Amino acid sequence: QSVLTQPPSASGTPGQRVTISCSGSSSNIGSNTVNWYQQLPGTAPKLLIYRNNQRPSGVPDRFSGSKSGTSASLAISGLQSEDEADYYCAAWDDRLNGWVFGGGTKLTVL
Amino acid sequence: HVQLVQSGAEVKKPGASVKVSCKASGYTFTDFYMHWVRQAPGQGLEWMGWINPYSGVTLYSQRFQGRVAMTRDTSISTVYMELTRLRSDDTAVYYCARGGSGTYDWFDPWGQGTLVTVSS
């Protein structure tokens, strides 16, 4: 059971916009920033979004992040086949004094 | 460019220990925290702890307290993660990931991962 809650799966067709939610509590998302990671099949995770809505250089602007209260969201617009991957949210948890992850969302491009 | 290269796959028996290394290059080793994250087969990511390569200070997840030790060798820009009293459910890919200059920063980049298999 992960501390942050994500839907296990999401899907969309090429060109569509999909969103992935990440729900937490006052001790994690409610008081700290959220980062998102993309894990392509068989590879190590890669930073996708940091500090709620910042994109590292090289990440397409099709990817965007937002946070409100104790929840965060990752949006992917103009969906492409290469976006098929697992997506994880993460935040520092003040009560646990450690980093916590969501369970991951498997995105399928139909 | 920044790169983290981890040691190779390991097979261990229950009760044994494993030590995984992570060699950093392309940046000043002592300027950034290093984290360890593991992923059991078909499962999600689990944070294990961090080490400050400058001071050697560590912070471990409560889940691994007493079983994990993170160390570093600044002369070769390498951090180590040792996990003791291995159980079958410790079978996982173990990743090192560079943090920021503070403890609350993101993880970027990640090492390629080291598969540790615990089996009798």
Side-chain angles (χ1 to χ4, degrees), chain B residues 1-102:
Chain B
H1 72 287
V2 177
Q3 194 173 11
L4 303 176
V5 178
Q6 299 182 221
S7 49
E10 303 261 13
V11 179
K12 296 292 182 180
K13 293 196 181 305
S17 299
V18 68
K19 192 170 187 177
V20 180
S21 68
C22 170
K23 182 172 177 59
S25 62
Y27 70 98
T28 302
F29 176 69
T30 50
D31 281 356
F32 295 86
Y33 284 74
M34 194 72 80
H35 299 259
W36 287 89
V37 177
R38 77 176 188 179
Q39 185 172 36
Q43 302 301 308
L45 303 171
E46 180 177 29
W47 179 78
M48 299 180 69
W50 56 245
I51 181 169
N52 179 327
Y54 176 79
S55 63
V57 171
T58 55
L59 175 69
Y60 303 137
S61 165
Q62 293 164 10
R63 277 238 319 153
F64 300 98
Q65 200 71 248
R67 278 209 308 145
V68 70
M70 297 176 189
T71 56
R72 92 291 192 213
D73 184 338
T74 56
S75 68
I76 55 172
S77 300
T78 299
V79 296
Y80 302 91
M81 186 284 299
E82 183 173 25
L83 190 62
T84 62
R85 303 195 302 277
L86 289 169
R87 308 183 295 251
S88 58
D89 62 356
D90 290 318
T91 294
V93 175
Y94 290 77
Y95 295 101
C96 59
R98 194 188 75 166
S101 53

Side-chain angles (χ1 to χ4, degrees), chain A residues 23 25 32 41 51 59 73 88 100 109:
Chain A
S23 177
S25 67
N32 297 295
R51 282 186 183 161
V59 173
S73 290
Y88 294 90
V100 292
V109 181

Side-chain angles (χ1 to χ4, degrees), chain A residues 32-33 35 37 39 43-47 50-51 56 88 92 94-103, chain B residues 35 37 39 43-47 50 59-62 95 103-113:
Chain A
N32 297 295
T33 58
N35 306 316
Y37 300 91
Q39 186 175 33
T43 69
K46 169 193 157 190
L47 179 66
Y50 66 98
R51 282 186 183 161
Y88 294 90
W92 178 262
D94 294 330
R95 181 176 60 85
L96 294 175
N97 200 36
W99 283 91
V100 292
F101 286 93
Chain B
H35 299 259
V37 177
Q39 185 172 36
Q43 302 301 308
L45 303 171
E46 180 177 29
W47 179 78
W50 56 245
L59 175 69
Y60 303 137
S61 165
Q62 293 164 10
Y95 295 101
T103 60
Y104 306 119
D105 293 332
W106 45 95
F107 307 159
D108 181 47
W110 296 56
Q112 84 275 20

